[in-house]
């Protein structure tokens, strides 16, 4: 049974015996065997200077005073070295832990986050919330919002992880603030509110969280030596590489295909929304990047983990202790290859009062999370309808009734509001029960169809009601409106 998690001190930290690179001790007490207090004792020495050795007996009285002084001096030197090394490690560990666990948050913020988490152990599956902020220096527009929201199920027993993205534009009702997009929860209540809303939306209890600053992600990717990902299409995005505002910066263009990305390239890969379906492909790329990072970390020798954790502490804030992270990583390494599944919350798109939203398909979300909870692959579950969209009378364009069907090149993400819409270069037609028409030009809009009707058009197709056919339109025109059994007129322009 899940229960609220309370903070408590961590005892018997397994990292107490692990020392980061650069802090290797000259001597480890007990390393020479039980009862070995002399750093230089070994089998050969013990035999050579045994009391049963006649040579030793004749010399011991002469050398005993000098030998005691040497031994005392060596022991003192070793103790000083060990204390110095231990202090350095303690300082390093405390600094990294403080940075990792607080991230500049107030004690009130940390307590609010803690109130949203449930207690679990690493001997059973648990859920974790990944929150990504892409707030850039000097950019105060819209306040602080979470651009990346991923619920992760981690199963240390089966050596498996499942990532489920929540689109940032998903419509939710935030307590005290009314209807908003999901990413606004972070603005109103920080990580705690984001965790709470994710719990309500997905129906799962979350045990841990990690908040990532994308601006500082570069150092983490570089710390693991870069990552390998498959880039589905060429990325040439001046917004993503920040040359729109800073044209003096070097361009970063990523070609399609399997690529090895350094930190700066990985940041562009995670940021870009220059796709037909905008944020949907970006969420998929962010999951790819996380998978690549996890696989790279698991492939590293355990001796390199402290350095990676130190880099992570600069861009990640989490409730997990350093020892928890190392323990989990080692557990996954020991159990073999990690199996990872990836999906987006089943959703459709639409407009309410001219504002674009993503609507979760409530029934499909329940179906997906059941599969996730059972350790299955949820990637085949997609959205087709939404009770919330119907409640708000969501249209499929800013005007309220034109687009929303499957988009060419991104049909797996962009469903229409209620049934099956037609196809368009960017957005397909709306349909209530029939099939919306298609539009052949990029940026054009498919027609609206109602009750087994159709509407065609290269620009904006006509509206059709009942068994009517909307008029056609050319590349810039608007087709005619038809009801009953009539046919709407065409428009040349």
């Amino acid at each position: 049974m899940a229960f609220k998690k309370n903070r408590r001190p961590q005892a018997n930290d397994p990292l107490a015996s692990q020392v980061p690179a650069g802090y290797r001790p000259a001597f480890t007490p007990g390393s020479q065997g039980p009862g070995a207090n002399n750093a230089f004792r070994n089998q050969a020495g013990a035999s050579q200077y045994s009391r049963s050795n006649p040579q030793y007996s004749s010399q011991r009285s002469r050398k005993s005073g000098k030998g005691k002084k040497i031994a005392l001096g060596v022991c003192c030197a070793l103790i000083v070295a060990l204390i110095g090394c231990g202090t350095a490690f303690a300082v390093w560990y405390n600094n990294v832990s403080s940075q990792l666990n607080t991230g500049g948050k107030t004690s009130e913020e940390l307590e609010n986050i803690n109130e949203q988490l449930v207690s679990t152990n690493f001997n059973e599956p648990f859920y974790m919330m990944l929150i990504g902020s892409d707030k850039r220096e000097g950019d105060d527009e819209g306040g602080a919002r979470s651009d990346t929201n991923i619920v992760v199920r981690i199963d240390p027993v089966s050596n498996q992880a499942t990532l489920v993205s929540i689109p940032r534009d998903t419509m939710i009702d935030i307590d005290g603030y009314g209807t908003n997009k999901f990413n606004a929860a972070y603005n109103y209540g920080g990580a705690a509110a984001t965790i709470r809303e994710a719990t309500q939306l997905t129906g799962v209890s979350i045990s841990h969280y990690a908040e990532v600053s994308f601006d500082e992600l570069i150092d983490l990717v570089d710390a693991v030596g870069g990552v390998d990902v498959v880039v589905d299409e060429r990325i040439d995005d001046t917004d993503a590489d920040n040359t729109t505002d800073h044209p003096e910066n070097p361009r970063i263009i990523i070609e399609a295909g399997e690529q090895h990305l350094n930190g700066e390239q990985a940041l562009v890969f995670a940021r870009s929304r220059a796709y037909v379906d905008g944020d949907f492909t970006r969420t998929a790329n962010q999951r790819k990047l996380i998978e690549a990072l996890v696989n790279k970390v698991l492939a590293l020798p355990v001796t390199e983990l402290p350095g990676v954790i130190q880099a992570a502490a600069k861009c990640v804030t989490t409730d997990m202790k350093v020892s928890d992270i190392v323990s989990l990583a080692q557990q996954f390494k020991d159990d073999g290859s990690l199996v990872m599944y990836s999906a987006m919350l089943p959703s459709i798109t639409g407009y309410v009062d001219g504002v674009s939203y993503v609507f979760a398909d409530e029934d499909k979300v329940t179906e997906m999370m059941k599969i996730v909870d059972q350790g299955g692959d949820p990637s085949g579950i997609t959205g087709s309808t939404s009770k919330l969209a119907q409640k708000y009378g969501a249209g499929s364009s800013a005007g309220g009734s034109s687009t929303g069907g499957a988009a060419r090149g991104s049909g797996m993400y962009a469903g229409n509001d209620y049934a099956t819409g037609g196809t368009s270069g960017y957005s397909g037609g709306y349909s209530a029960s029939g099939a919306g028409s298609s539009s052949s030009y990029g940026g054009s809009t498919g027609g609206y169809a109602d009750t087994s009707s159709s509407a065609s058009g290269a620009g904006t197709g006509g509206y059709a009601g009942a068994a009517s056919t909307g008029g056609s339109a050319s590349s810039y025109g608007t087709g005619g409106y038809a009801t009953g059994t009539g046919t709407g007129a065409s428009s040349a322009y």
Side-chain angles (χ1 to χ4, degrees):
M1 180 177 68
F3 51 91
K4 291 297 180 183
K5 176 181 177 183
N6 296 315
R7 295 189 178 276
R8 53 187 180 275
Q10 303 293 312
N12 300 322
D13 194 331
L15 265 196
S17 62
Q18 295 191 28
V19 181
Y23 294 106
R24 185 178 60 187
F27 167 65
T28 303
S31 62
Q32 307 301 321
N37 296 318
N38 189 323
F40 296 101
R41 178 186 292 180
N42 54 46
Q43 289 298 320
S47 175
Q48 181 180 357
Y49 296 106
S50 170
R51 285 185 173 84
S52 61
N53 187 317
Q55 185 178 5
Y56 172 81
S57 299
S58 63
Q59 295 176 353
R60 65 178 179 179
S61 59
R62 177 167 51 89
K63 295 183 177 181
S64 60
K66 184 178 179 181
K68 287 180 181 179
K69 290 181 180 179
I70 293 175
L72 181 60
V74 169
C75 286
C76 288
L78 290 172
I79 290 171
V80 169
L82 183 61
I83 290 175
C85 181
T87 301
F89 174 74
V91 170
W92 173 88
Y93 181 79
N94 289 335
N95 285 341
V96 170
S97 296
S98 176
Q99 193 173 12
L100 192 69
N101 296 146
T102 61
K105 296 184 184 300
T106 66
S107 57
E108 182 180 2
E109 288 176 308
L110 294 174
E111 184 59 33
N112 289 339
I113 292 170
N114 188 62
E115 285 296 316
Q116 300 302 321
L117 302 176
V118 298
S119 182
T120 57
N121 57 60
F122 294 147
N123 295 322
E124 60 185 7
F126 63 88
Y127 286 91
M128 183 172 188
M129 185 74 199
L130 296 184
I131 304 168
S133 170
D134 196 18
K135 187 174 178 59
R136 308 183 195 188
E137 186 177 352
D139 180 13
D140 297 325
E141 184 180 352
R145 293 173 184 257
S146 57
D147 280 346
T148 302
N149 306 280
I150 303 177
V151 175
V152 186
R153 180 183 183 268
I154 299 175
D155 187 348
V157 179
S158 300
N159 209 37
Q160 178 183 308
T162 305
L163 287 70
V164 177
S165 292
I166 300 174
R168 67 177 193 163
D169 292 338
T170 300
M171 179 186 276
I172 57 173
D173 186 19
I174 302 175
D175 293 344
Y177 298 96
T179 301
N180 275 276
K181 296 184 177 184
F182 188 89
N183 66 346
Y186 187 88
N187 186 49
Y188 295 129
T194 301
I195 296 168
R196 182 188 68 239
E197 297 303 327
T199 296
Q200 293 178 0
L201 188 61
T202 62
V204 300
S205 298
I206 296 172
S207 302
H208 299 285
Y209 89 104
E211 186 176 329
V212 182
S213 170
F214 277 104
D215 259 348
E216 296 163 332
L217 183 68
I218 294 173
D219 291 337
L220 178 57
V221 174
D222 286 339
V224 300
V227 294
D228 298 314
V229 298
V230 175
V231 181
D232 291 333
E233 62 180 277
R234 187 173 188 262
I235 300 175
D236 183 358
D237 185 352
T238 58
D239 289 333
D241 67 14
N242 210 24
T243 56
T244 299
D245 297 329
H246 298 279
E248 71 279 4
N249 291 348
R251 290 300 320 281
I252 298 176
I253 298 173
I254 305 174
E255 299 296 338
E258 187 171 346
Q259 303 292 341
H260 182 78
L261 307 181
N262 61 25
E264 291 184 342
Q265 292 168 328
L267 184 59
V268 171
F269 182 70
R271 274 180 170 170
S272 181
R273 287 190 291 161
Y275 308 103
V276 169
D277 60 9
D279 197 51
F280 293 147
T281 293
R282 182 171 74 158
T283 63
N285 286 346
Q286 289 169 348
R287 295 194 302 271
K288 281 185 182 180
L289 180 59
I290 292 170
E291 291 179 33
L293 266 171
V294 170
N295 286 326
K296 194 63 180 287
V297 169
L298 293 181
L300 294 174
V302 69
T303 53
E304 295 186 25
L305 287 179
V308 172
I309 292 172
Q310 184 169 356
K314 296 178 182 179
C315 66
V316 177
T317 306
T318 179
D319 66 301
M320 296 179 69
K321 306 302 180 185
V322 175
S323 54
D324 295 337
I325 298 171
V326 173
S327 176
L328 265 180
Q330 193 60 44
Q331 187 170 341
F332 281 126
K333 286 167 70 73
D334 293 342
D335 290 342
S337 299
L338 173 66
V339 175
M340 299 190 74
Y341 295 127
S342 175
M344 188 184 76
L345 210 68
S347 311
I348 62 171
T349 57
Y351 285 81
V352 175
D353 296 331
V355 178
S356 172
Y357 287 97
V358 174
F359 298 91
D361 184 330
E362 299 88 349
D363 293 337
K364 293 294 184 179
V365 168
T366 300
E367 180 183 347
M368 171 177 279
M369 298 314 298
K370 182 177 180 180
I371 292 174
V372 170
D373 207 48
Q374 293 173 346
D377 181 358
S379 60
I381 307 297
T382 58
S384 60
T385 187
S386 168
K387 298 180 180 68
L388 190 62
Q390 295 178 34
K391 172 184 175 182
Y392 281 92
S396 36
S397 75
S401 62
S402 296
T403 65
R408 187 170 65 231
S410 59
M412 64 180 296
Y413 295 116
N416 84 81
D417 293 329
Y418 301 111
T420 303
T423 302
S424 169
Y426 288 97
S427 51
Y430 169 94
S431 67
S433 59
S437 72
S438 63
S439 171
S440 60
Y441 292 93
S444 301
T445 305
Y448 178 104
D450 186 12
T451 316
S452 301
S453 304
S454 65
S456 62
T460 301
Y463 175 95
S468 306
T469 300
S472 64
S474 66
S475 57
Y476 297 102
T478 301
Y481 179 103
T483 59
T485 58
T487 300
S490 302
S491 170
Y493 297 98

